[in-house]
Structures are given as structure tokens and as C-alpha cells.
Amino acid sequence: MIFTKRLSQKEYMFVATTKTNNKKGKLSILCDVAVATIGRQVGDIIHWPFKDGERKLEILKVEQI
């Protein structure tokens, strides 16, 4: 999935819990943000709490690899 975060974009890949690597954007399929994307589609916006306040994450692309 590719999310927009403020004015930038960041790509994340949801992987098995044994294959995570936060620096490379590989997050566990069981992490909170991954679970929050279940049932969502391209164009959906998720309001997500961060340490410095709530941000909007927009799903820009979903692909199966």
C-alpha cells in the first residue's frame, strides 16, 4: 500500500510477522495500521493517531506481490 502522509508519500508492505523491517517499510500484517486497512480500497482515508496528533493516511495504491 502507498499512503500519503502530510505532503509526502510513503510505501508500506504488509508482511508476515517474522519478515518485518520498519526501516524498509515492511510492517506486520497484524500491526494496528494494517488491521485498519482491512476492507478499505484505493482513495479511502484513514484518520490515524500519531504522537504529535492525528494525521490522515490516504490509500493510493494496493497491489498483490
Side-chain angles (χ1 to χ4, degrees):
M1 297 202 151
I2 298 177
F3 294 102
T4 58
K5 191 170 83 172
R6 293 200 180 176
L7 299 176
S8 63
Q9 291 184 7
K10 176 72 176 166
E11 186 169 339
Y12 295 97
M13 182 183 305
F14 299 131
V15 298
T17 56
T18 58
K19 307 235 184 228
T20 61
N21 185 327
N22 290 345
K23 289 183 180 181
K24 292 185 178 181
K26 294 181 179 183
L27 306 176
S28 167
I29 58 171
L30 300 177
C31 75
D32 291 340
V33 73
V35 172
T37 64
I38 294 173
R40 305 287 185 143
Q41 57 188 0
V42 172
D44 284 354
I45 296 175
I46 300 169
H47 298 268
W48 197 257
F50 285 87
K51 291 178 187 177
D52 59 347
E54 184 177 275
R55 294 186 202 160
K56 295 177 185 177
L57 302 175
E58 181 179 3
I59 300 172
L60 298 178
K61 180 173 83 171
V62 178
E63 64 183 52
Q64 185 176 351
I65 56 170

